[in-house]
Amino acid sequence: MKEFSGRLKQAADTLQLTLSDAQQEALLAYLSQLQRWNRTYNLTAIRDPSQMLVQHVFDSMSIVMRLRDATKDHVASGKQVSVLDVGSGAGLPGTIIAILEPDWRVSCVDAVEKKTAFIRQIAGVLGLSNLQALHNRIEMLQEMNATIVTSRAFASLADFADLAGKHVAQDGWLVAMKGRIPDDEISELQKKADWRVERIDPVVVPELDAQRCLIWLKQDQGTL
């Protein structure tokens, strides 16, 4: 995977992320492990490692600065940032967040055991003590009280809020990674009283010619 080092560094520069040598090595090691496990366990439909780099690693990296900005007051006040990645699959974006934010506590939950087994393996191989994998359905999971509950292609906004909303801390967010702005999903969500779209951030993924956005959901104060 060393052949991807230059592209990874350029992508990080584009996203205004500063990578240590150890973080760069960890991201490439994750990609190598994903490719190897995918041959046997079919963790992702993407087979080509170059496409994995862009559509999985760069895509996950693209939201990190947004998350940092949103949680800077938590960090300034001495609170630990906790992230719950719902329907994490092969640990995306949770594992990438854990690599880039070693002081954050990241939990990846998925109902498919082989996927959480992969995340546990990655946490061990890369020495990510801040990363844990939870084999469970999100609706069966004990409340996590997370600063950020995120998902990537997990469910509609309304279903995401219904299933994962209970895991958000009072001052936290639901954050959904989406492609184009899902107007129909937003309309469906607006019919519910408890969650609202706070803002929508456009996201640029290096080397990917496709629309991406990050949708921030807040719980209405009247429902707290």
Side-chain angles (χ1 to χ4, degrees):
M1 294 295 165
K2 290 294 185 183
E3 67 271 23
F4 294 144
S5 294
R7 290 170 63 189
L8 180 57
K9 184 179 185 309
Q10 186 172 357
D13 289 345
T14 299
L15 297 169
Q16 298 182 314
L17 291 168
T18 300
L19 299 182
S20 67
D21 290 344
Q23 286 172 325
Q24 175 140 332
E25 289 175 7
L27 290 169
L28 293 175
Y30 167 81
L31 186 64
S32 178
Q33 289 287 319
L34 178 59
Q35 185 187 22
R36 185 166 69 179
W37 272 61
N38 204 45
R39 295 190 193 107
T40 303
Y41 295 103
N42 195 30
L43 301 176
T44 169
I46 298 173
R47 299 289 180 180
D48 178 65
S50 180
Q51 291 182 23
M52 286 181 176
L53 178 70
V54 176
Q55 296 189 43
H56 291 330
V57 177
F58 292 174
D59 191 49
S60 298
M61 289 170 60
S62 70
I63 71 169
V64 170
M65 286 301 295
R66 306 280 188 179
L67 302 186
R68 280 184 189 171
D69 288 344
T71 58
K72 60 186 177 184
D73 289 342
H74 286 67
V75 175
S77 64
K79 296 179 182 178
Q80 184 180 44
V81 175
S82 57
V83 177
L84 177 63
D85 178 16
V86 178
S88 186
L92 298 160
T95 302
I96 307 304
I97 294 170
I99 292 170
L100 298 181
E101 298 294 344
D103 293 330
W104 293 9
R105 187 175 72 251
V106 181
S107 302
C108 295
V109 60
D110 201 280
V112 180
E113 187 172 10
K114 65 183 179 181
K115 295 178 179 179
T116 52
F118 171 71
I119 298 167
R120 288 191 194 96
Q121 170 75 5
I122 283 292
V125 168
L126 301 184
L128 298 174
S129 60
N130 63 328
L131 175 66
Q132 68 169 335
L134 304 171
H135 174 224
N136 210 333
R137 298 185 67 84
I138 187 62
E139 61 269 29
M140 301 298 293
L141 196 66
Q142 185 176 356
E143 292 184 14
M144 298 291 290
N145 200 39
T147 316
I148 290 172
V149 176
T150 190
S151 72
R152 180 176 181 258
F154 167 68
S156 71
L157 294 177
D159 287 346
F160 182 36
D162 282 344
L163 294 170
K166 69 177 183 179
H167 298 293
V168 182
Q170 186 170 337
D171 56 351
W173 299 267
L174 283 171
V175 183
M177 298 175 69
K178 295 287 185 178
R180 294 177 180 272
I181 295 175
D183 293 322
D184 291 345
E185 292 184 25
I186 293 172
S187 296
E188 181 188 6
L189 181 73
Q190 288 172 342
K191 297 174 185 176
K192 299 177 179 293
D194 47 353
W195 289 90
R196 58 179 170 78
V197 174
E198 184 179 59
R199 72 175 190 271
I200 301 174
D201 293 337
V203 174
V204 176
V205 178
E207 298 189 29
L208 185 65
D209 183 19
Q211 292 186 15
R212 290 285 191 272
C213 67
L214 204 57
I215 302 180
W216 297 77
L217 306 182
K218 269 285 191 183
Q219 195 165 23
D220 282 336
Q221 295 300 310
T223 66
L224 295 179

